[in-house]
């Protein structure tokens, strides 16, 4: 008995320690969104046109297409191996770019740079797959908060890197690339030892305790985001202030360690209290009954944990069905044969594809509108993207538990707001780029954070790693369509050639048509999200009724 209690105590601490390291990995794995911070250096060094530069950004995003390998590996390899593969790829991909931009080696040929950008982009798919798949399985009863927190820190990572580089190295692009190569590699090496799959919560009490801890993570993350946002608006901070900012930021990022420490202390106290009671009353007569009750409870909720939406009366009958229904585990081919998968896929493309085009072109958009320093727009998009991710994850989970609101409705709301943001940037009114950066960041964050748990609820967790990476193909596809083709061609059509190669464009006309077309795409995405919400209404009603039933049963048992 003592051994089992000690094992449970250790498991609880390890689970939360693993989640902390997952947060750290996500906080340094958003390097795919930092291209604007060093794109101008590449354009100048390699004498590129805007179309050529945009195609480099597409090569970076094409690396995500090979995330299918990470998805396949997630069901066959341990989390530690997947993390190692991603960290080594990032070290090589961004390390080579650092060597070029720092002029330690002569500029590589265009196709060679494409390969290294692709490697850097692919590295994040391995890290994100390892973290998201493992944590969604470990905390499957709180998928919304898990997705919001982890995706939120990915959004913050751009601001973390940007502000640290600005504070310590005066926005030097070569140093920035060195940070992208070395820091994720080091953090992933640490996560290898702690991030593993752990049995999920089995009872309503454990679910509530998890939610309380996630509230702490949310509070810390919001503090970090506000802190980064405040620093962005400090005009010309001196070296002392910049150093103090960096130290405090690192302390804030380390502060989630308090959660596993607290969980370990609480578990030890609980175990000691149980031992004291047992020593006073002797062998407890109800221990076997309690154990039997736990087994019954595990059998009762076993199916709900995998699908959350389905509680079939007979598992054998379910196995005989030729096709799974929504809410049950789908293989990737079964999922791709459903209309709902493709509605989710295309609506996701409209949101993240257009958002990624803005992030890849923020440097040139800012310069075209007359801003000498565009780092603040990169940081604003990152920070407000964090708020979009972290709030939408928890809010969508709350409304499912309260009234059964389908998650796709939140995606639809974000698409409409994103369309408004693009129209504001097309008008190019004073300050519209600030507002547009905030709106695009929020909506892009909502889109990512809500789609992750939605896919797991509709198609199950068994093959979730591969299904997730199929959906993530929208990043390279959207980058190619909206950034490489649309923005690249339309910008070059307006640009003026510069001596020595390359071109430049100044004025609101440079991107106006691009923004209008992307706004139309978002309106199409809104229609698809509403359609998906209607088609999946019954699934979310079942989830709501299932959780309500479990809550009622738990309250009755307590009484």
């Amino acid at each position: 008995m003592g051994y089992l209690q000690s094992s449970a105590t250790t498991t609880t601490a390890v689970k939360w320690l693993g989640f902390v390291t997952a947060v750290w990995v996500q906080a340094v794995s958003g390097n795919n969104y930092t291209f604007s911070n060093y794109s101008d250096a590449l354009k100048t060094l390699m004498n590129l046109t805007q179309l050529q530069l945009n195609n480099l950004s597409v090569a970076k995003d094409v690396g995500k297409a090979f995330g299918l390998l990470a998805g396949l590996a997630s069901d066959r390899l341990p989390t530690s191996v997947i993390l190692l593969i991603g960290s080594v790829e990032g070290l090589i991909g961004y390390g080579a770019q650092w060597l070029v931009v720092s002029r330690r080696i002569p500029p590589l040929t265009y196709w060679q740079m494409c390969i290294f950008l692709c490697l850097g982009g692919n590295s994040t798919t391995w890290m994100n797959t390892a973290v998201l798949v493992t944590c969604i399985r470990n905390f499957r009863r709180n998928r919304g908060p898990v997705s919001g927190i982890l995706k939120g820190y990915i959004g913050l990572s751009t601001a973390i890197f940007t502000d640290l580089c600005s504070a310590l190295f005066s926005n030097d692009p070569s140093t920035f690339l060195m940070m992208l190569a070395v820091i994720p590699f080091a953090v992933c090496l640490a996560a290898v030892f702690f991030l593993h799959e752990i049995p999920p919560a089995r009872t309503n009490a454990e679910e509530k305790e998890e939610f309380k801890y996630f509230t702490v993570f949310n509070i810390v993350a919001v503090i970090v985001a506000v802190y980064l946002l405040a620093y962005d608006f400090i005009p010309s901070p001196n070296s002392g202030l910049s150093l103090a900012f960096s130290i405090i930021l690192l302390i804030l990022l380390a502060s989630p360690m308090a959660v596993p420490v607290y969980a370990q202390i609480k578990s030890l106290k609980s175990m000691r209290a149980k031992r004291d009671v047992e020593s006073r009353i002797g062998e407890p007569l109800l221990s076997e009954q309690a154990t039997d009750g736990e087994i019954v409870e595990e059998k009762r909720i076993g199916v709900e944990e995998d699908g959350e939406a389905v509680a079939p009366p007979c598992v054998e009958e379910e196995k005989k069905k030729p096709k799974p229904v929504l809410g049950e585990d789908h293989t990737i081919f079964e999922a791709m044969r459903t209309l709902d998968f493709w509605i989710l896929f295309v609506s996701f493309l409209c949101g993240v594809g257009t958002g990624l085009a803005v992030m890849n072109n923020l440097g040139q958009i800012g310069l075209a509108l007359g801003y000498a320093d565009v780092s603040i727009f990169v940081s604003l998009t990152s920070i407000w993207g964090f708020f979009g991710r972290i709030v939408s994850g928890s809010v969508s989970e709350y409304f499912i538990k309260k009234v059964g609101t389908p998650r796709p409705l939140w995606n639809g709301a974000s698409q409409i707001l994103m369309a408004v943001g693009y129209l504001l940037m097309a008008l190019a009114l004073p300050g519209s780029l600030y507002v547009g950066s905030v709106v695009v960041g929020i909506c892009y964050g909502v889109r990512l954070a809500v789609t992750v748990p939605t896919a797991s609820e509709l198609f199950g967790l068994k093959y979730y790693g591969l299904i997730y990476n199929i959906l993530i193909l929208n990043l390279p596809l959207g980058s190619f369509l909206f950034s490489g083709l649309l923005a690249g061609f339309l910008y070059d059509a307006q640009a003026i050639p510069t001596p020595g190669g390359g071109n430049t464009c100044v004025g609101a006309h440079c991107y106006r048509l691009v923004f209008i077309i992307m706004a139309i795409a978002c309106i199409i995405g809104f229609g698809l999200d509403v359609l998906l919400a209607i088609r999946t209404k019954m699934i979310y009603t079942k989830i709501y009724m299932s959780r309500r039933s479990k809550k009622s049963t738990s309250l009755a048992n307590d009484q």
Side-chain angles (χ1 to χ4, degrees):
M1 185 70 177
Y3 170 77
L4 292 176
Q5 289 176 337
S6 176
S7 176
T9 301
T10 303
T11 298
T12 300
V14 169
K15 179 169 71 172
W16 288 109
L17 185 58
F19 188 74
V20 171
T21 57
V23 165
W24 290 344
V25 171
Q26 297 298 78
V28 298
S29 63
N31 41 27
N32 256 16
Y33 304 114
T34 61
F35 185 71
S36 292
N37 282 345
Y38 58 91
S39 61
D40 198 53
L42 286 176
K43 185 177 183 180
T44 302
L45 184 66
M46 300 178 67
N47 291 321
L48 303 176
T49 65
Q50 187 62 33
L51 180 60
Q52 290 173 323
L53 183 67
N54 282 6
N55 285 334
L56 274 184
S57 73
V58 171
K60 163 185 66 70
D61 296 321
V62 163
K64 290 184 177 294
F66 296 99
L68 293 176
L69 300 175
L72 290 169
S74 67
D75 295 324
R76 295 168 175 79
L77 297 177
T79 303
S80 56
V81 175
I82 299 174
L83 280 172
L84 282 174
I85 293 173
S87 62
V88 171
E89 271 197 321
L91 183 66
I92 296 172
Y94 288 101
Q97 295 176 63
W98 166 69
L99 290 173
V100 170
V101 174
S102 63
R103 301 180 185 271
R104 283 172 169 77
I105 62 173
L108 301 176
T109 61
Y110 188 79
W111 69 267
Q112 289 173 330
M113 287 298 294
C114 286
I115 290 176
F116 285 114
L117 279 155
C118 185
L119 276 176
N122 184 244
S123 68
T124 62
T125 66
W126 291 87
M127 291 185 276
N128 293 343
T129 298
V131 165
L132 284 169
V133 172
T134 303
C135 290
I136 287 285
R137 288 173 177 169
N138 288 354
F139 302 97
R140 60 187 67 189
R141 289 191 172 195
N142 284 289
R143 302 180 196 189
V146 167
S147 173
I149 292 168
L150 295 179
K151 285 293 185 180
Y153 271 99
I154 292 180
L156 278 184
S157 66
T158 302
I160 290 170
F161 278 122
T162 300
D163 287 354
L164 279 178
C165 186
S166 174
L168 300 176
F169 308 109
S170 301
N171 285 326
D172 178 53
S174 65
T175 306
F176 188 83
L177 282 166
M178 183 180 68
M179 292 170 64
L180 295 183
V182 175
I183 294 177
F185 178 77
V187 172
C188 285
L189 287 183
V192 160
F193 297 101
F194 303 106
L195 185 59
H196 309 285
E197 284 196 30
I198 303 293
R202 294 282 186 180
T203 65
N204 195 51
E206 289 177 322
E207 179 184 351
K208 288 182 178 179
E209 184 178 37
E210 284 183 359
F211 190 80
K212 290 178 181 177
Y213 288 145
F214 287 133
T215 301
V216 174
F217 280 98
N218 280 330
I219 292 172
V220 172
V222 169
I223 292 172
V224 172
V226 172
Y227 182 66
L228 290 167
L229 188 62
Y231 179 77
D232 286 335
F233 286 98
I234 297 176
S236 304
N238 57 43
S239 58
L241 182 61
S242 297
L243 180 61
F245 159 80
S246 302
I247 294 172
I248 295 172
L249 177 60
L250 294 177
I251 293 173
L252 288 174
L253 292 174
S255 62
M257 274 297 297
V259 171
V261 172
Y262 174 79
Q264 176 74 353
I265 293 172
K266 183 179 179 181
S267 297
L268 288 173
K269 287 182 178 179
S270 176
M271 186 174 65
R272 288 171 185 169
K274 288 180 181 178
R275 286 177 178 174
D276 290 341
V277 172
E278 290 175 5
S279 65
R280 292 175 186 174
I281 66 173
E283 185 66 26
L285 297 177
L286 298 178
S287 61
E288 293 183 3
Q289 296 177 12
T291 302
D292 292 340
E294 290 173 359
I295 292 173
V296 171
E297 174 70 8
E298 288 179 9
K299 290 181 179 179
R300 184 179 70 81
I301 67 175
V303 175
E304 294 171 350
E305 284 179 338
D306 289 335
E308 283 289 335
V310 181
C314 180
V315 177
E316 291 300 323
E317 292 180 4
E318 191 179 52
K319 289 182 179 178
K320 295 178 183 178
K321 292 179 182 178
K323 293 181 181 180
V325 298
L326 285 182
E328 298 175 356
D329 287 323
H330 288 62
T331 66
I332 184 58
F333 297 109
E334 289 170 340
M336 292 175 69
R337 284 198 290 267
T338 66
L339 177 61
D340 303 279
F341 178 86
W342 291 109
I343 294 174
L344 181 63
F345 185 91
V346 177
S347 70
F348 193 47
L349 172 64
C350 294
V352 299
T354 58
L356 197 57
V358 172
M359 295 178 191
N360 286 340
N361 289 273
L362 261 180
Q364 283 65 49
I365 292 172
L367 292 174
L369 295 179
Y371 295 96
D373 183 11
V374 297
S375 63
I376 188 171
F377 301 115
V378 177
S379 189
L380 282 174
T381 304
S382 172
I383 293 169
W384 286 101
F386 155 79
F387 284 116
R389 297 172 203 227
I390 203 164
V391 171
S392 63
S394 296
V395 169
S396 63
E397 190 77 21
Y398 173 82
F399 278 96
I400 287 175
K401 292 178 179 178
K402 289 297 180 182
V403 292
T405 304
R407 270 194 227 270
L409 281 180
W410 300 100
N411 281 335
S414 72
Q415 296 274 56
I416 282 294
L417 185 58
M418 187 178 268
V420 173
Y422 292 144
L423 292 176
L424 282 175
M425 288 192 282
L427 293 173
L429 299 173
S432 62
L433 189 54
Y434 287 96
V435 177
S437 297
V438 171
V439 170
V440 170
I442 291 174
C443 297
Y444 186 85
V446 171
R447 185 81 243 194
L448 284 174
V450 172
T451 301
V452 168
T454 299
S456 72
E457 287 157 350
L458 299 186
F459 307 112
L461 285 171
K462 188 173 182 180
Y463 305 101
Y464 176 67
L466 187 55
I467 291 172
Y468 166 74
N469 278 285
I470 290 288
L471 289 172
I472 291 301
L473 285 176
N474 276 301
L475 296 180
L477 179 60
S479 179
F480 172 71
L481 292 176
F482 294 105
S483 182
L485 292 182
L486 181 67
F489 276 120
L490 293 182
Y491 179 95
D492 283 346
Q494 302 286 342
I496 300 172
T498 57
N503 59 20
T504 186
C505 182
V506 178
H509 64 285
C510 299
Y511 284 96
R512 178 171 289 130
L513 184 57
V514 175
F515 290 135
I516 292 173
I517 294 174
M518 292 197 299
I520 295 172
C522 286
I523 293 172
I524 294 172
F526 165 75
L528 292 172
D529 287 322
V530 172
L531 176 61
L532 186 62
I534 295 171
R535 290 176 60 87
T536 59
K537 174 63 178 175
M538 289 302 298
I539 298 297
Y540 288 97
T541 300
K542 288 180 180 180
I543 294 175
Y544 165 68
M545 296 302 296
S546 173
R547 293 182 178 180
R548 186 178 178 182
S549 175
K550 284 188 287 184
K551 185 176 181 180
S552 300
T553 303
S554 177
L555 291 173
N557 291 337
D558 291 341
Q559 293 174 353

